[in-house]
Amino acid sequence: MAQFTEEEKTIRRIGKRFNKGVVQYGLIEEGDKILIGLSGGKDSLALVELLGRRSRIFKPRFSVVAVHVVMTNIPYQSDLEYLRRHTEEFGVPLVVYETSFDPSTDTRKSPCFLCSWNRRKALFTVAKEQGCNKIALGHHMDDILETLLMNITYQGAFSTMPPRLVMNKFDMTIIRPMCLIHESDLVELAEIRGYRKQVKNCPYESASSRSDMKGILRQLEAMNPEARYSLWGSMNNVQEELLPKDIE
């Protein structure tokens, strides 16, 4: 029986979970053209590698292009040459798109919200320009579970970021192909591959509720090592008859 190193086990585990997510949620179809949002962080770098490799498989036939959005009014330094080398390694063309926002136009919203909203808007713009029908984002299982916990805690809603979201209004589908991959495995992959970190100098960056939820998820797993799988399964096991309902 073949013996694998720890690095090989990590890579095989990531590949298995990636393929399972793609198939289980029907994320890739024949003829798709998929735009990858490439921030330069470990998750988006991994997504380029995983989708780039899979696009070389005979079926289903699909193509991939990546976009890196540069927000010109925020001093966030990107190593564009590194990003180009990375995407070229996996046969993925790279588009660099520059945009900006004026935080004084809507003082009710935080700069982080405005930046995120404008980055997302840029993704849709580039997707249309490139003739893409899907946008792939680098969210992993931990992101999705943390969002579930955040929405329950702060929004009073049992909801999260789904692996596949059809946006009929924009004639676009959002997919999250790494939805079943654990963040810890992506951290290991980044070390194995030597992913280079981008330089962050955002003046608005601070601790967020999401970092708090990371800690809560770790606490839940300390209580029950299977906690993440129970949380994930609960999203497909909503027993409405055992939940309180308002009397109309």
Side-chain angles (χ1 to χ4, degrees):
M1 188 173 180
Q3 295 294 317
F4 298 103
T5 65
E6 289 304 312
E7 290 186 356
E8 289 170 334
K9 288 178 182 178
T10 297
I11 293 169
R12 287 170 64 86
R13 189 165 55 245
I14 288 173
K16 183 178 180 180
R17 287 174 176 162
F18 176 79
N19 291 331
K20 181 180 179 181
V22 166
V23 173
Q24 183 170 330
Y25 298 105
L27 303 185
I28 299 176
E29 298 162 294
E30 185 74 23
D32 280 346
K33 186 170 185 182
I34 303 172
L35 179 74
I36 300 174
L38 175 59
S39 67
K42 71 178 189 313
D43 303 330
S44 62
L45 291 170
L47 185 57
V48 166
E49 176 176 343
L50 292 166
L51 275 178
R53 290 188 187 280
R54 190 175 177 90
S55 68
R56 298 170 185 171
I57 297 175
F58 185 67
K59 286 186 178 181
R61 293 181 182 272
F62 71 97
S63 58
V64 189
V65 60
V67 61
H68 178 70
V69 179
V70 176
M71 198 63 66
T72 57
N73 63 309
I74 292 180
Y76 182 108
Q77 298 177 28
S78 299
D79 188 340
L80 294 179
E81 285 307 309
Y82 172 71
L83 296 181
R84 288 189 193 281
R85 289 197 302 272
H86 182 75
T87 55
E88 286 174 1
E89 181 180 352
F90 301 103
V92 178
L94 175 65
V95 175
V96 177
Y97 184 88
E98 293 189 351
T99 188
S100 63
F101 70 95
D102 183 356
S104 66
T105 59
D106 191 348
T107 55
R108 296 170 300 175
K109 303 292 186 181
S110 70
C112 292
F113 174 87
L114 294 173
C115 180
S116 176
W117 189 88
N118 279 277
R119 286 181 185 278
R120 190 63 58 91
K121 181 180 176 182
L123 290 181
F124 280 88
T125 298
V126 176
K128 289 296 184 182
E129 290 176 352
Q130 294 293 318
C132 298
N133 65 312
K134 291 179 179 176
I135 297 174
L137 303 177
H139 298 121
H140 43 68
M141 178 182 268
D142 295 59
D143 287 326
I144 293 172
L145 293 178
E146 289 157 12
T147 301
L148 174 67
L149 294 171
M150 286 176 65
N151 289 351
I152 292 172
T153 303
Y154 295 105
Q155 304 296 330
F158 193 80
S159 63
T160 188
M161 304 180 292
R164 176 186 171 99
L165 178 62
V166 178
M167 306 188 73
N168 293 319
K169 181 179 177 181
F170 300 99
D171 193 27
M172 192 70 60
T173 299
I174 303 295
I175 61 173
R176 297 179 170 90
M178 300 197 303
C179 58
L180 298 183
I181 298 176
H182 300 191
E183 183 176 23
S184 58
D185 282 339
L186 293 172
V187 170
E188 288 186 35
L189 181 66
E191 294 176 355
I192 293 168
R193 299 290 196 235
Y195 289 161
R196 186 179 303 173
K197 292 183 178 180
Q198 300 295 295
V199 180
K200 292 185 179 182
N201 290 314
C202 179
Y204 307 115
E205 191 171 50
S206 61
S208 65
S209 298
R210 181 167 295 279
S211 60
D212 293 336
M213 289 303 160
K214 283 184 181 294
I216 290 173
L217 182 58
R218 285 194 293 270
Q219 289 178 45
L220 291 173
E221 288 189 293
M223 294 165 58
N224 172 20
E226 300 296 314
R228 70 170 53 230
Y229 301 112
S230 294
L231 285 170
W232 191 273
S234 72
M235 292 186 281
N236 287 308
N237 187 27
V238 180
Q239 301 175 10
E240 294 187 22
E241 69 277 7
L242 298 179
L243 296 175
K245 292 183 180 179
D246 291 335
I247 298 176
E248 296 182 358

